[in-house]
Amino acid sequence: MFNQSISITTKKTKSSVLYGCMAILVLVMLGLSACSKNGGEATGDDKKYLTCKLNGKYCEFNYGVNANDKPTTDTVHFVVIGGWEKRDMIKGFGIDLTLPDGAKEKIYTVSGTTALSLHGKYYIQNMKDGKIVSTSGYNGGTSEGTNFTVTITSLSDLGIKGTFCGKLKLVGGDDYVTEGKFSAPYN
């Protein structure tokens, strides 16, 4: 009788431990799946983001946000920032700034010039049958009737932060007024 009691108690203990381990495993898996509600994309509160308003409509280009490669010298001669709306990489936004004397934490503005020292761009990949057939590019600062301003608020070893605004225009077509902010780590 004493042996039967130990056997029954051991079986109950093993079952309880097994169910307890399974419950813990399920809770851990649920906790891990809740870590990223937005597919791993950054939001405006994270360390990397590129958000703006296009004609008043709020847009996030947080997928793959980054800046150019980390400079190998103390002088940052070019600033390239970009991001995509989604993983499908159909809509994106980018900023290009080239400075022979180096970038500083300050305001840079360009208006209606073909000089490529600064421009903002909003681009849309035009698709047909699942393939890219062309790209519509809205540019600011590089053509007549457009302008673009970028304010670098932080230039560190980790990346670049700032704000931007401007009027972007499709060649021969519509235009967008934009304002936004970014925080982009170096590649």
Side-chain angles (χ1 to χ4, degrees):
M1 171 112 156
F2 181 68
N3 285 340
Q4 284 180 335
S5 176
I6 291 173
S7 176
I8 291 171
T9 304
T10 304
K11 286 181 183 177
K12 285 182 181 179
T13 303
K14 285 181 182 177
S15 293
S16 296
V17 169
L18 181 62
Y19 287 124
C21 288
M22 288 176 55
I24 290 172
L25 180 63
V26 167
L27 289 174
V28 167
M29 290 174 59
L30 285 173
L32 290 175
S33 69
C35 288
S36 180
K37 297 278 187 201
N38 62 356
E41 298 174 17
T43 62
D45 296 330
D46 289 336
K47 293 182 181 181
K48 63 179 195 172
Y49 55 85
L50 196 162
T51 62
C52 67
K53 288 184 179 178
L54 291 170
N55 285 345
K57 180 184 174 201
Y58 179 77
C59 299
E60 292 184 349
F61 298 96
N62 293 333
Y63 179 75
V65 167
N66 63 52
N68 44 277
D69 291 337
K70 185 175 179 178
T72 56
T73 66
D74 290 338
T75 304
V76 179
H77 292 287
F78 61 95
V79 174
V80 178
I81 298 157
W84 298 93
E85 185 179 56
K86 296 184 217 170
R87 177 174 241 120
D88 63 13
M89 297 183 175
I90 292 176
K91 293 180 181 179
F93 199 96
I95 300 167
D96 297 333
L97 174 63
T98 306
L99 300 157
D101 296 331
K104 308 278 185 243
E105 292 176 359
K106 65 181 233 174
I107 299 170
Y108 298 93
T109 301
V110 66
S111 180
T113 177
T114 56
L116 296 178
S117 60
L118 169 63
H119 73 280
K121 55 190 176 291
Y122 169 54
Y123 34 91
I124 303 168
Q125 305 290 357
N126 301 307
M127 308 291 286
K128 183 175 181 179
D129 299 326
K131 296 180 181 179
I132 298 171
V133 293
S134 65
T135 302
S136 297
Y138 296 80
N139 294 297
T142 56
S143 60
E144 190 175 319
T146 69
N147 60 68
F148 198 75
T149 298
V150 64
T151 303
I152 297 176
T153 58
S154 174
L155 196 58
S156 72
D157 291 342
L158 301 176
I160 304 164
K161 293 181 182 182
T163 61
F164 60 92
C165 63
K167 182 178 179 183
L168 312 177
K169 188 172 184 72
L170 180 65
V171 175
D174 299 332
D175 57 339
Y176 281 100
V177 176
T178 185
E179 62 178 297
K181 62 183 180 175
F182 60 88
S183 177
Y186 291 121
N187 282 329

